[in-house]
Amino acid sequence: RKRKQMQLIPFEKNISHAISYWSQQEEYRRFFCSFNKMLTKEEAERFPEIIGCEVLFIAIENDIIGMVLLDDDSNRMTKFAILIDKSSWGKGFGSEALEKIEKYCSQIKKTRILFTHAFEKDEASNKELLKQNFIQMGKIQDFTFIKDGYESVFYYYKLNKE
């Protein structure tokens, strides 16, 4: 059976309600940890402006299943973060999104170095980053406070070979 085509689509206010929803769910609090609050509908509509980076939605046909944050600097380096909706976990969409982000950053943004981090407890993301040839740079102990305690993160980078 053929898998449905994944797309990265530009941020649109009329579908930003997903951001507000995700910010209110416990499963995604790590992703929104820098806000320390749930986002309103109005804040979700201004999300790229509020966080100061590019936001792309991850879509399968007409369903929004996640989002990507891309933050560039003047030296063609891009930091990114991926959020996949819990209903789509374990289906390979994170791996596919990672491949699409690399291609987008390489071909469109002309990025030389990609950076990201994954929480230590997120074994699937850490494993996938290593599988996709990202290099683990180090660990920041007690990076942020989530719910009942501090959580640590691993940082990764990958050089663009093109």
Side-chain angles (χ1 to χ4, degrees):
R1 192 173 137 174
K2 188 175 178 186
R3 184 173 169 143
K4 296 176 182 173
Q5 182 67 34
M6 174 187 285
Q7 293 181 304
L8 297 179
I9 58 174
F11 176 86
E12 296 176 24
K13 286 183 181 182
N14 64 331
I15 54 176
S16 65
H17 60 277
I19 295 172
S20 179
Y21 168 78
W22 289 321
S23 78
Q24 297 172 35
Q25 305 304 308
E26 191 62 43
E27 294 92 345
Y28 313 113
R29 288 306 308 154
R30 287 182 184 93
F31 196 84
F32 294 97
C33 64
S34 60
F35 294 101
N36 292 320
K37 68 181 187 98
M38 296 169 192
L39 299 172
T40 65
K41 179 182 180 287
E42 293 76 24
E43 290 169 325
E45 289 175 353
R46 295 183 16 254
F47 193 60
E49 173 190 335
I50 290 170
I51 62 171
C53 68
E54 183 177 4
V55 177
L56 301 173
F57 285 111
I58 302 169
I60 302 291
E61 292 186 345
N62 293 325
D63 295 328
I64 302 300
I65 65 156
M67 72 175 165
V68 177
L69 307 181
L70 298 166
D71 186 13
D72 304 314
D73 76 3
S74 59
N75 293 314
R76 294 181 26 214
M77 292 185 276
T78 300
K79 292 181 282 185
F80 71 92
I82 301 172
L83 179 145
I84 301 289
D85 189 86
K86 187 176 184 177
S87 64
S88 296
W89 288 358
K91 298 179 181 176
F93 293 129
S95 302
E96 188 175 347
L98 185 55
E99 291 168 7
K100 289 194 178 293
I101 291 164
E102 284 190 64
K103 187 174 182 178
Y104 175 79
C105 287
S106 173
Q107 295 177 355
I108 307 298
K109 298 173 105 29
K110 306 298 184 204
T111 297
R112 291 190 299 184
I113 304 173
L114 286 169
F115 290 99
T116 194
H117 70 270
F119 283 88
E120 183 176 26
K121 292 179 180 179
D122 187 352
E123 293 177 16
S125 293
N126 284 291
K127 183 178 177 181
E128 185 60 34
L129 287 163
L130 292 170
K131 181 179 169 188
Q132 298 269 352
N133 298 314
F134 276 77
I135 298 168
Q136 193 178 90
M137 302 187 310
K139 176 181 176 181
I140 297 180
Q141 196 70 33
D142 299 336
F143 175 73
T144 192
F145 190 85
I146 307 282
K147 195 177 176 186
D148 298 326
Y150 285 93
E151 293 198 23
S152 302
V153 296
F154 290 110
Y155 272 85
Y156 296 89
Y157 77 96
K158 186 173 186 178
L159 299 174
N160 182 1
K161 305 249 188 297
E162 294 181 16

